[in-house]
Each structure stands twice: as structure tokens, then as C-alpha cells.
Amino acid sequence: MADLLGSILSSMEKPPTVHDQESRRKAREQAARLKKIEEDEKRKKAEFRKKMEKTVSDFIQDSNLQKRRYEPMGKIERSILHDVAEVAGLASFSFGEDEESRYVMLFKKEFAPSDEELEAYRKGEEWDPRKAEERRRRKERAALEMEEASRSQKRPASPNSNYRDKYSHLIGTSAAKDAAHTLQANQSYGCVPVANKRDTRSIEEAMNEIRAKKRQKKGAGSGAGSGSSV
């Protein structure tokens, strides 16, 4: 029985000490403070969003404005403004080198910035459309000049004079190959064409002609012999 009573008493929670009571009180106070801070942050975000919605609406309704630049703001505020701009159908960009100087610019869709304009803002420069147009024209002229220069380098070099004109007194005005095809033999110099030298007789005709010449020689020889004996 004593053992049972002892186990029951040991299992019961001991009354909190003064130190425990103080720790719990501080924990409750800290939780209350955190809750209040969260509620304040939520309220501030809601108020800021409502304010940005008003400025964005005014910007959209003003037909004279194409873009709007806001003062530098924190990361949370920038994210809220970007979200409001996206819902409103605007283009939004953040610029600035460090966190303290970063700001947001809004652009209407019909006046969306070019890559050159965005690059100028990223460099911290002011955007001047006239100067940008001059730079664009200079780039186009430089590109055309480079293209023309490359074409002139690829163009084959032509000789200063034509060899046919230079040696026309030797080969005439026709090419040597064409002249060779049209060349005709001059019989006064003993140049006989090959076609004229070709024997067109048959073998039998040639042998008969040779036999006839031999008979003529024999007949001439016998006639000379008989005349000397007389």
C-alpha cells in the first residue's frame, strides 16, 4: 500500500517553482509581441499594396505618361509593386546597383522599353531617344561599311591588260586554239594537207600500175638495144 501511494505521488507534477513561473510568463509575453509584430507587418503590407494600386491606377489613366519611376524601396515593397503591376498588365523592372538604391520603373505595354533603354537604366544612365537613334544609325553605317569592305576583299583581282590585246599582232584577234582549227595550208610554200597525201587506190590497182610501169621500162630497153645493132 505504501508503495502504491509513493508511485502515485511521484507521478504527479510538482508545483511550479518561482523560476518556472517567470519563464512561462516571459514566453507568453514574447509570443504576444511576435503576434503583434506579424499583425503590424500584415497591416502595413495591405496598406502599402492599397497605396500602390492607387498610384498604378492613376498612371494607367494618365494618357500623357508612358512610364513611371518610383523612389528606392525595400525588397518586400518592390515585390508588392511588381505584383500589382503584373495584375494591372504593366511591364515592371527594378534597377539600381545596391539594395538601398534599387527602384522600380513601370511601363505601359504599348511603350515597352527596348533592350538599349533597359541597358541604359542598368548602367545608371538617362535614356535619350534621339541619342539612341543616332547611335543606331552609326551602327548601321558601320555595319554596311564592314560588309562592303569584306565584299571588295573577296572580289577576284582582274588583270590590268588582256594578253590577247597585248599579243594581237602575233596571234591575231582570235584565240590560238580557234585559229588552229581554221588554219589552211598554203600550197605556195609546199605545205600539202594530209588528206591530199593519202593514197585512195586499192592494192590491186597499185600492183597493176607497178606492172605497167615495169613493162614500159622493159619495152624502152629492148627498143634501145635493137637500134644500136643497126
Side-chain angles (χ1 to χ4, degrees):
M1 188 67 179
D3 293 338
L4 180 60
L5 182 60
S7 63
I8 294 173
L9 292 174
S10 62
S11 63
M12 294 176 61
E13 292 185 1
K14 296 180 181 180
T17 62
V18 176
H19 178 70
D20 293 338
Q21 292 178 354
E22 183 67 19
S23 298
R24 291 178 181 179
R25 184 183 62 80
K26 290 182 178 180
R28 288 194 299 269
E29 290 178 354
Q30 185 177 4
R33 285 195 300 268
L34 291 175
K35 185 177 181 180
K36 187 175 184 303
I37 291 173
E38 291 177 357
E39 291 177 352
D40 290 342
E41 290 293 332
K42 187 176 180 180
R43 177 180 53 80
K44 290 179 180 179
K45 290 180 182 179
E47 292 177 355
F48 182 80
R49 184 181 185 90
K50 187 175 181 180
K51 180 180 178 181
M52 292 300 99
E53 289 175 349
K54 176 66 169 57
T55 60
V56 169
S57 177
D58 294 341
F59 169 62
I60 293 174
Q61 294 177 8
D62 192 341
S63 59
N64 296 324
L65 295 178
Q66 301 178 4
K67 56 188 175 182
R68 176 167 182 175
R69 173 175 175 171
Y70 287 81
E71 294 295 326
M73 59 183 68
K75 185 176 182 179
I76 296 176
E77 287 77 11
R78 293 198 306 272
S79 64
I80 294 174
L81 181 53
H82 285 304
D83 185 62
V84 172
E86 183 179 359
V87 173
L90 302 175
S92 62
F93 300 89
S94 292
F95 304 103
E97 296 181 357
D98 50 50
E99 185 63 28
E100 295 180 356
S101 63
R102 289 188 69 78
Y103 61 93
V104 176
M105 285 192 70
L106 303 183
F107 299 85
K108 293 180 180 178
K109 290 292 186 178
E110 59 270 25
F111 302 106
S114 62
D115 293 338
E116 293 181 355
E117 185 175 357
L118 293 176
E119 185 64 23
Y121 294 135
R122 292 189 183 102
K123 293 179 180 180
E125 302 174 353
E126 292 294 331
W127 172 251
D128 190 340
R130 290 176 297 180
K131 292 182 179 180
E133 181 65 20
E134 292 177 0
R135 288 195 298 268
R136 185 186 64 81
R137 291 179 180 178
R138 286 198 298 268
K139 287 182 180 179
E140 289 181 354
R141 286 196 298 267
L144 291 175
E145 291 175 358
M146 290 179 63
E147 184 178 358
E148 184 63 25
S150 62
R151 287 180 180 177
S152 62
Q153 291 177 358
K154 294 179 181 179
R155 192 176 300 155
S158 57
N160 295 331
S161 60
N162 194 324
Y163 76 95
R164 293 183 181 180
D165 297 337
K166 185 176 182 179
Y167 298 102
S168 61
H169 63 287
L170 297 177
I171 64 175
T173 57
S174 300
K177 188 174 181 180
D178 296 337
H181 285 300
T182 58
L183 180 64
Q184 296 181 356
N186 191 341
Q187 296 183 0
S188 62
Y189 290 95
C191 182
V192 181
V194 176
N196 296 343
K197 294 181 180 180
R198 191 174 300 158
D199 194 350
T200 59
R201 297 175 299 170
S202 64
I203 297 176
E204 185 179 356
E205 290 175 349
M207 293 300 294
N208 292 334
E209 187 175 349
I210 292 172
R211 293 190 188 100
K213 289 182 179 180
K214 287 182 178 180
R215 285 194 297 270
Q216 290 179 358
K217 289 182 180 181
K218 288 181 178 180
S222 62
S226 62
S228 62
S229 62
V230 173

